[in-house]
């Protein structure tokens, strides 16, 4: 009898997986992409490093400036009459940015009647009471650029007060700035404009 050949059922046949052929050329784009990514990462890292360095340098500069800049200096604030305080505020506002090449600095407490310059501070106050001995000191009045002053020597310099004018304006100059009277040349213009002359020096 002839032999019967039975075909195997479909589920018993071995499965074959068809994979697309790989070529060495397909790996080249991936290699180029990786190189570009690496270069990009290096560039971003270098940029961030430069930005970080600039920020650090800027911070150090600010700290150095803050360390070298003097803080507010205490200057007593007078309590004149309202009309005197208003006139004094105009005078203090007109003071120059520098006195004896010293920069204007902040006074504490803040007041429109006071100003300060340099370190040690040259202190200026408007609306003070007349100093002791001024009433008898008309003969001791000396002029600087048309402004009369009364001078009082203290332990560490001189205190100058305008004499013969409607406002008593005081300038305290430490001995470091010897000759101390030179500071008066820088403020004389503001005094002449905003402190009315009553009695000139004789």
């Amino acid at each position: 009898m002839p032999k019967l050949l039975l075909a195997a059922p479909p589920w018993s046949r071995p499965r074959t997986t068809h994979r697309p052929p790989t070529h060495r050329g397909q790996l080249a784009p991936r290699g180029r992409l990786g190189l570009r990514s690496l270069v990009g990462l290096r560039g971003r890292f270098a940029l961030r490093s430069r930005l970080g360095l600039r920020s650090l340098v800027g911070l150090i500069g600010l700290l150095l400036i803050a360390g070298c800049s003097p803080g507010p200096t205490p200057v007593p604030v007078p309590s004149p009459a309202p009309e005197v305080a208003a006139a004094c505020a105009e005078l203090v506002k007109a003071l120059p940015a520098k006195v004896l090449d010293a920069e204007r600095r902040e006074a504490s407490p803040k007041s429109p009647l006071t100003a300060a310059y340099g370190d040690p501070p040259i202190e200026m106050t408007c609306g003070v009471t007349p100093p002791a001995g001024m009433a008898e000191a008309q003969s001791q009045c000396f002029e600087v650029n048309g402004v009369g002053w009364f001078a009082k020597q203290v332990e560490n310099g001189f205190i100058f007060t305008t004499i013969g004018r409607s406002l008593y304006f005081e300038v305290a100059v430490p001995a470091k700035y010897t000759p101390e009277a030179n500071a008066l040349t820088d403020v004389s213009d503001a005094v002449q404009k905003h402190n009315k002359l009553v009695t000139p020096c004789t």
Side-chain angles (χ1 to χ4, degrees):
M1 293 181 62
K3 293 182 179 181
L4 296 177
L5 298 178
L6 299 178
W11 55 82
S12 64
R13 296 174 185 173
R15 295 181 180 180
T16 57
T17 303
H18 297 280
R19 297 181 180 178
T22 58
H23 303 283
R24 294 181 181 179
Q26 291 179 346
L27 298 177
R30 293 186 180 181
R32 289 194 296 270
L33 181 59
L35 180 59
R36 291 174 183 175
S37 301
L38 180 60
V39 171
L41 287 174
R42 288 181 178 176
R44 286 195 295 271
F45 179 76
L47 178 59
R48 290 178 181 176
S49 299
R50 288 195 297 269
L51 291 176
L53 182 60
R54 290 176 183 175
S55 300
L56 180 60
V57 171
L59 178 60
I60 293 174
L62 289 176
L63 292 175
L64 290 176
I65 292 173
C68 297
S69 301
T73 183
V75 179
V77 179
S79 301
E83 62 273 13
V84 174
C88 280
E90 294 299 319
L91 170 55
V92 173
K93 187 187 300 184
L95 292 173
K98 291 184 179 181
V99 170
L100 296 179
D101 291 328
E103 298 279 352
R104 190 164 179 168
R105 57 183 290 189
E106 185 178 351
S108 177
K110 289 184 178 181
S111 171
L113 307 181
T114 61
Y117 296 83
D119 188 23
I122 300 171
E123 300 175 6
M124 303 191 184
T125 312
C126 187
V128 299
T129 57
M134 177 179 274
E136 299 82 24
Q138 186 67 29
S139 61
Q140 300 178 20
C141 174
F142 71 98
E143 283 192 350
V144 177
N145 292 352
V147 178
W149 297 90
F150 171 73
K152 180 182 179 181
Q153 188 170 10
V154 292
E155 182 179 355
N156 188 33
F158 274 86
I159 296 177
F160 303 98
T161 308
T162 52
I163 189 170
R165 292 186 176 263
S166 60
L167 305 173
Y168 290 108
F169 176 66
E170 183 180 276
V171 180
V173 186
K176 173 189 174 181
Y177 302 95
T178 302
E180 294 90 334
N182 285 352
L184 306 179
T185 60
D186 292 331
V187 301
S188 58
D189 287 346
V191 173
Q192 282 188 329
K193 291 177 182 178
H194 299 279
N195 198 351
K196 183 180 177 181
L197 177 64
V198 177
T199 305
C201 285
T202 57

